[in-house]
Amino acid sequence: MIDINNKEKVFATIDKFSEEMTPLFGKLTPQHVLEHLLTSINLSTGKRQIEFFQTQEMADRFKAKLVYTDAEIPQGIKNPLLTDDLPELKYHSLDEAKQKLKAELEYFYEYRSQNPNAMGTHPRLNSLTMSEWTTMHTKHFSHHFKQYGLL
């Protein structure tokens, strides 16, 4: 597992993505993965808003398992916000997506230190504290880095 707090290691791992890579599981391309991770960072800092879409009971169960245990995000988990088609890419290149993700991570680290009591909405888990977001980012980044054999 990669620790989201280890900025140097996270950034070095992001830099390992290349267009020639193929996933060990799932269908997201390297650029799709980086843009997807960037979206979750933006949710945690309030730069992007999303509606919570399931029951609080389900959210509490997911949160208890994903945030408060050592459980990893399982391979093959379906993101209900994604269709069977890959989403349109937002950036012109993989390198641009890498730079944008690193910039948003820098913002996350600063935002978190200045707003330790901030809350943000996760589409499946509802309101998360900065501490809970940090745990989720660690697990989420680890999941996608493993998808490409980078961990």
Side-chain angles (χ1 to χ4, degrees):
M1 184 146 330
I2 196 159
D3 181 356
I4 198 71
N5 296 309
N6 187 337
K7 181 172 98 170
E8 292 76 23
K9 188 170 182 181
V10 171
F11 281 26
T13 307
I14 289 168
D15 284 335
K16 291 179 183 177
F17 278 92
S18 70
E19 292 178 8
E20 297 77 31
M21 297 172 90
T22 56
L24 300 174
F25 59 90
K27 63 182 178 181
L28 295 178
T29 68
Q31 186 169 340
H32 282 98
V33 165
L34 299 181
E35 292 188 14
H36 171 70
L37 292 171
L38 191 148
T39 296
S40 79
I41 292 294
N42 286 342
L43 289 172
S44 68
T45 60
K47 281 190 172 185
R48 182 162 179 204
Q49 304 293 317
I50 195 162
E51 287 188 35
F52 170 61
F53 70 86
Q54 59 188 25
T55 68
Q56 188 59 49
E57 181 182 335
M58 288 176 72
D60 291 344
R61 273 188 276 146
F62 276 130
K63 187 189 282 191
K65 182 174 182 179
L66 288 177
V67 176
Y68 294 104
T69 71
D70 290 337
E72 296 182 15
I73 297 173
Q75 290 183 14
I77 191 168
K78 177 87 168 106
N79 182 336
L81 301 175
L82 296 177
T83 65
D84 287 335
D85 298 323
L86 290 175
E88 189 172 324
L89 294 170
K90 295 175 182 146
Y91 301 107
H92 291 67
S93 68
L94 179 62
D95 285 336
E96 184 181 4
K98 288 178 184 181
Q99 296 313 310
K100 296 285 187 181
L101 178 55
K102 288 186 216 174
E104 291 305 318
L105 277 164
E106 290 282 7
Y107 181 77
F108 168 74
Y109 297 133
E110 180 181 328
Y111 180 86
R112 182 183 61 183
S113 71
Q114 293 177 0
N115 302 281
N117 298 318
M119 303 281 288
T121 300
H122 184 283
R124 274 195 158 154
L125 306 176
N126 206 359
S127 294
L128 296 180
T129 65
M130 278 291 108
S131 175
E132 291 169 333
W133 271 113
T134 298
T135 299
M136 281 308 300
H137 289 321
T138 290
K139 291 183 177 195
H140 194 208
F141 275 65
S142 295
H143 173 78
H144 287 294
F145 289 174
K146 286 178 181 180
Q147 181 179 9
Y148 276 90
L150 298 174
L151 291 183

